[in-house]
Amino acid sequence: MPKCLANKHSGGLCQNNAITGRQRCKFHGGMSLRGNQHPNYQGKGCSKEDGLRLKEGNARIKLLEMIALENGLLNPKN
């Protein structure tokens, strides 16, 4: 199993085993989320959380529009 490639404060390399498929051990970021799994992922200008918030907000607006139409507070868009 490969060893962690992180540098220690003493100057040497960490001697812990690296996480499978990664170059770092669990103490030096080997288990960190990557890519679109990370909450701060900036793939299309926003994080995954921002996208979910946007979808929820749009759903709430549509619900309020439907309620307003049913109660005659808004005119139909025909």
Side-chain angles (χ1 to χ4, degrees), residues 5-31:
L5 297 178
N7 291 319
K8 296 190 327 182
H9 290 289
S10 61
L13 291 176
C14 174
Q15 295 300 310
N16 291 322
N17 291 329
I19 301 294
T20 305
R22 308 273 178 107
Q23 295 182 346
R24 303 284 188 265
C25 67
K26 64 182 178 180
F27 301 111
H28 293 110
M31 297 188 71

mmCIF file of all heavy atoms in Angstrom, residues 5-31:
data_model
loop_
_atom_site.group_PDB
_atom_site.id
_atom_site.type_symbol
_atom_site.label_atom_id
_atom_site.label_comp_id
_atom_site.label_asym_id
_atom_site.label_seq_id
_atom_site.Cartn_x
_atom_site.Cartn_y
_atom_site.Cartn_z
ATOM 1 N N LEU A 5 1.989 11.150 0.985
ATOM 2 C CA LEU A 5 3.023 12.037 0.458
ATOM 3 C C LEU A 5 3.069 13.394 1.152
ATOM 4 O O LEU A 5 3.784 14.290 0.706
ATOM 5 C CB LEU A 5 2.812 12.242 -1.045
ATOM 6 C CG LEU A 5 2.940 10.991 -1.918
ATOM 7 C CD1 LEU A 5 2.650 11.331 -3.368
ATOM 8 C CD2 LEU A 5 4.310 10.364 -1.765
ATOM 9 N N ALA A 6 2.341 13.563 2.234
ATOM 10 C CA ALA A 6 2.312 14.841 2.939
ATOM 11 C C ALA A 6 3.610 15.046 3.726
ATOM 12 O O ALA A 6 4.198 14.097 4.243
ATOM 13 C CB ALA A 6 1.125 14.888 3.891
ATOM 14 N N ASN A 7 4.045 16.290 3.800
ATOM 15 C CA ASN A 7 5.233 16.635 4.579
ATOM 16 C C ASN A 7 4.837 16.918 6.020
ATOM 17 O O ASN A 7 3.841 17.586 6.283
ATOM 18 C CB ASN A 7 5.908 17.868 4.002
ATOM 19 C CG ASN A 7 6.538 17.604 2.656
ATOM 20 O OD1 ASN A 7 7.147 16.560 2.457
ATOM 21 N ND2 ASN A 7 6.372 18.525 1.742
ATOM 22 N N LYS A 8 5.642 16.408 6.951
ATOM 23 C CA LYS A 8 5.416 16.674 8.367
ATOM 24 C C LYS A 8 6.193 17.917 8.774
ATOM 25 O O LYS A 8 7.071 18.384 8.056
ATOM 26 C CB LYS A 8 5.873 15.480 9.206
ATOM 27 C CG LYS A 8 5.068 14.236 8.925
ATOM 28 C CD LYS A 8 5.305 13.086 9.875
ATOM 29 C CE LYS A 8 6.667 12.941 10.419
ATOM 30 N NZ LYS A 8 6.865 11.784 11.289
ATOM 31 N N HIS A 9 5.864 18.476 9.925
ATOM 32 C CA HIS A 9 6.561 19.665 10.423
ATOM 33 C C HIS A 9 8.045 19.385 10.661
ATOM 34 O O HIS A 9 8.874 20.283 10.557
ATOM 35 C CB HIS A 9 5.924 20.168 11.720
ATOM 36 C CG HIS A 9 4.579 20.773 11.513
ATOM 37 N ND1 HIS A 9 4.401 21.984 10.888
ATOM 38 C CD2 HIS A 9 3.340 20.334 11.834
ATOM 39 C CE1 HIS A 9 3.108 22.270 10.841
ATOM 40 N NE2 HIS A 9 2.438 21.280 11.411
ATOM 41 N N SER A 10 8.376 18.133 10.960
ATOM 42 C CA SER A 10 9.773 17.788 11.211
ATOM 43 C C SER A 10 10.580 17.695 9.927
ATOM 44 O O SER A 10 11.795 17.533 9.957
ATOM 45 C CB SER A 10 9.845 16.460 11.964
ATOM 46 O OG SER A 10 9.271 15.421 11.184
ATOM 47 N N GLY A 11 9.906 17.777 8.767
ATOM 48 C CA GLY A 11 10.608 17.768 7.490
ATOM 49 C C GLY A 11 10.481 16.472 6.722
ATOM 50 O O GLY A 11 10.703 16.439 5.520
ATOM 51 N N GLY A 12 10.158 15.385 7.391
ATOM 52 C CA GLY A 12 10.028 14.106 6.707
ATOM 53 C C GLY A 12 8.635 13.909 6.132
ATOM 54 O O GLY A 12 7.759 14.766 6.251
ATOM 55 N N LEU A 13 8.440 12.772 5.478
ATOM 56 C CA LEU A 13 7.133 12.440 4.939
ATOM 57 C C LEU A 13 6.315 11.684 5.981
ATOM 58 O O LEU A 13 6.854 10.965 6.816
ATOM 59 C CB LEU A 13 7.276 11.567 3.678
ATOM 60 C CG LEU A 13 7.849 12.232 2.437
ATOM 61 C CD1 LEU A 13 8.012 11.202 1.329
ATOM 62 C CD2 LEU A 13 6.946 13.356 1.976
ATOM 63 N N CYS A 14 5.009 11.840 5.892
ATOM 64 C CA CYS A 14 4.094 11.093 6.761
ATOM 65 C C CYS A 14 4.248 9.609 6.431
ATOM 66 O O CYS A 14 4.370 9.238 5.266
ATOM 67 C CB CYS A 14 2.661 11.567 6.503
ATOM 68 S SG CYS A 14 1.406 10.630 7.379
ATOM 69 N N GLN A 15 4.254 8.769 7.414
ATOM 70 C CA GLN A 15 4.458 7.336 7.193
ATOM 71 C C GLN A 15 3.152 6.531 7.227
ATOM 72 O O GLN A 15 3.178 5.315 7.129
ATOM 73 C CB GLN A 15 5.425 6.785 8.251
ATOM 74 C CG GLN A 15 6.829 7.357 8.144
ATOM 75 C CD GLN A 15 7.463 7.045 6.798
ATOM 76 O OE1 GLN A 15 7.467 5.916 6.345
ATOM 77 N NE2 GLN A 15 7.997 8.081 6.153
ATOM 78 N N ASN A 16 2.010 7.222 7.328
ATOM 79 C CA ASN A 16 0.732 6.512 7.321
ATOM 80 C C ASN A 16 0.417 6.013 5.920
ATOM 81 O O ASN A 16 0.907 6.538 4.925
ATOM 82 C CB ASN A 16 -0.404 7.441 7.774
ATOM 83 C CG ASN A 16 -0.295 7.796 9.233
ATOM 84 O OD1 ASN A 16 0.082 6.970 10.043
ATOM 85 N ND2 ASN A 16 -0.615 9.031 9.556
ATOM 86 N N ASN A 17 -0.427 4.993 5.840
ATOM 87 C CA ASN A 17 -0.859 4.482 4.546
ATOM 88 C C ASN A 17 -1.817 5.473 3.904
ATOM 89 O O ASN A 17 -2.677 6.052 4.570
ATOM 90 C CB ASN A 17 -1.556 3.130 4.699
ATOM 91 C CG ASN A 17 -0.594 2.042 5.098
ATOM 92 O OD1 ASN A 17 0.571 2.072 4.745
ATOM 93 N ND2 ASN A 17 -1.086 1.073 5.846
ATOM 94 N N ALA A 18 -1.682 5.663 2.591
ATOM 95 C CA ALA A 18 -2.579 6.562 1.862
ATOM 96 C C ALA A 18 -3.933 5.885 1.666
ATOM 97 O O ALA A 18 -4.031 4.653 1.639
ATOM 98 C CB ALA A 18 -1.970 6.912 0.515
ATOM 99 N N ILE A 19 -4.986 6.685 1.522
ATOM 100 C CA ILE A 19 -6.309 6.169 1.219
ATOM 101 C C ILE A 19 -6.248 5.543 -0.177
ATOM 102 O O ILE A 19 -5.594 6.069 -1.073
ATOM 103 C CB ILE A 19 -7.355 7.306 1.248
ATOM 104 C CG1 ILE A 19 -7.385 7.980 2.613
ATOM 105 C CG2 ILE A 19 -8.732 6.833 0.841
ATOM 106 C CD1 ILE A 19 -7.856 7.110 3.741
ATOM 107 N N THR A 20 -6.929 4.443 -0.382
ATOM 108 C CA THR A 20 -6.921 3.757 -1.671
ATOM 109 C C THR A 20 -7.346 4.706 -2.790
ATOM 110 O O THR A 20 -8.381 5.347 -2.710
ATOM 111 C CB THR A 20 -7.869 2.545 -1.637
ATOM 112 O OG1 THR A 20 -7.506 1.714 -0.548
ATOM 113 C CG2 THR A 20 -7.797 1.762 -2.935
ATOM 114 N N GLY A 21 -6.502 4.826 -3.810
ATOM 115 C CA GLY A 21 -6.788 5.685 -4.940
ATOM 116 C C GLY A 21 -6.406 7.142 -4.730
ATOM 117 O O GLY A 21 -6.621 7.974 -5.594
ATOM 118 N N ARG A 22 -5.837 7.464 -3.590
ATOM 119 C CA ARG A 22 -5.431 8.837 -3.280
ATOM 120 C C ARG A 22 -3.954 8.853 -2.904
ATOM 121 O O ARG A 22 -3.333 7.811 -2.741
ATOM 122 C CB ARG A 22 -6.254 9.403 -2.111
ATOM 123 C CG ARG A 22 -7.756 9.296 -2.264
ATOM 124 C CD ARG A 22 -8.278 10.487 -3.018
ATOM 125 N NE ARG A 22 -9.707 10.410 -3.242
ATOM 126 C CZ ARG A 22 -10.613 11.140 -2.620
ATOM 127 N NH1 ARG A 22 -10.242 12.018 -1.719
ATOM 128 N NH2 ARG A 22 -11.882 11.010 -2.900
ATOM 129 N N GLN A 23 -3.397 10.057 -2.735
ATOM 130 C CA GLN A 23 -1.983 10.185 -2.371
ATOM 131 C C GLN A 23 -1.785 10.630 -0.935
ATOM 132 O O GLN A 23 -0.649 10.819 -0.511
ATOM 133 C CB GLN A 23 -1.307 11.190 -3.300
ATOM 134 C CG GLN A 23 -1.261 10.730 -4.738
ATOM 135 C CD GLN A 23 -0.551 11.730 -5.619
ATOM 136 O OE1 GLN A 23 -0.317 12.862 -5.220
ATOM 137 N NE2 GLN A 23 -0.204 11.313 -6.813
ATOM 138 N N ARG A 24 -2.882 10.816 -0.175
ATOM 139 C CA ARG A 24 -2.790 11.294 1.202
ATOM 140 C C ARG A 24 -3.537 10.353 2.146
ATOM 141 O O ARG A 24 -4.507 9.695 1.747
ATOM 142 C CB ARG A 24 -3.387 12.694 1.341
ATOM 143 C CG ARG A 24 -2.767 13.750 0.438
ATOM 144 C CD ARG A 24 -1.411 14.180 0.966
ATOM 145 N NE ARG A 24 -0.861 15.308 0.248
ATOM 146 C CZ ARG A 24 -0.006 15.209 -0.760
ATOM 147 N NH1 ARG A 24 0.375 14.033 -1.184
ATOM 148 N NH2 ARG A 24 0.471 16.282 -1.340
ATOM 149 N N CYS A 25 -3.106 10.356 3.408
ATOM 150 C CA CYS A 25 -3.792 9.568 4.427
ATOM 151 C C CYS A 25 -5.018 10.326 4.924
ATOM 152 O O CYS A 25 -5.260 11.471 4.532
ATOM 153 C CB CYS A 25 -2.848 9.287 5.593
ATOM 154 S SG CYS A 25 -2.370 10.748 6.541
ATOM 155 N N LYS A 26 -5.788 9.708 5.811
ATOM 156 C CA LYS A 26 -7.021 10.346 6.296
ATOM 157 C C LYS A 26 -6.727 11.594 7.132
ATOM 158 O O LYS A 26 -7.568 12.461 7.247
ATOM 159 C CB LYS A 26 -7.855 9.361 7.101
ATOM 160 C CG LYS A 26 -7.205 8.866 8.375
ATOM 161 C CD LYS A 26 -8.089 7.865 9.076
ATOM 162 C CE LYS A 26 -7.439 7.331 10.332
ATOM 163 N NZ LYS A 26 -8.303 6.365 11.014
ATOM 164 N N PHE A 27 -5.514 11.698 7.668
ATOM 165 C CA PHE A 27 -5.169 12.856 8.490
ATOM 166 C C PHE A 27 -4.729 14.059 7.653
ATOM 167 O O PHE A 27 -4.710 15.179 8.131
ATOM 168 C CB PHE A 27 -4.057 12.501 9.476
ATOM 169 C CG PHE A 27 -4.434 11.383 10.404
ATOM 170 C CD1 PHE A 27 -3.821 10.148 10.294
ATOM 171 C CD2 PHE A 27 -5.420 11.554 11.355
ATOM 172 C CE1 PHE A 27 -4.173 9.112 11.134
ATOM 173 C CE2 PHE A 27 -5.781 10.523 12.204
ATOM 174 C CZ PHE A 27 -5.162 9.293 12.088
ATOM 175 N N HIS A 28 -4.352 13.823 6.404
ATOM 176 C CA HIS A 28 -3.841 14.897 5.554
ATOM 177 C C HIS A 28 -4.730 15.164 4.346
ATOM 178 O O HIS A 28 -4.261 15.624 3.316
ATOM 179 C CB HIS A 28 -2.414 14.577 5.102
ATOM 180 C CG HIS A 28 -1.438 14.588 6.218
ATOM 181 N ND1 HIS A 28 -0.837 13.454 6.706
ATOM 182 C CD2 HIS A 28 -0.972 15.618 6.969
ATOM 183 C CE1 HIS A 28 -0.044 13.775 7.713
ATOM 184 N NE2 HIS A 28 -0.096 15.080 7.898
ATOM 185 N N GLY A 29 -6.018 14.870 4.446
ATOM 186 C CA GLY A 29 -6.970 15.241 3.409
ATOM 187 C C GLY A 29 -7.320 14.161 2.416
ATOM 188 O O GLY A 29 -7.971 14.439 1.416
ATOM 189 N N GLY A 30 -6.915 12.929 2.664
ATOM 190 C CA GLY A 30 -7.213 11.850 1.730
ATOM 191 C C GLY A 30 -8.691 11.532 1.615
ATOM 192 O O GLY A 30 -9.137 10.997 0.616
ATOM 193 N N MET A 31 -9.480 11.862 2.642
ATOM 194 C CA MET A 31 -10.906 11.555 2.619
ATOM 195 C C MET A 31 -11.758 12.774 2.264
ATOM 196 O O MET A 31 -12.976 12.719 2.324
ATOM 197 C CB MET A 31 -11.342 10.984 3.976
ATOM 198 C CG MET A 31 -10.660 9.671 4.297
ATOM 199 S SD MET A 31 -11.280 8.858 5.745
ATOM 200 C CE MET A 31 -12.868 8.338 5.186
#
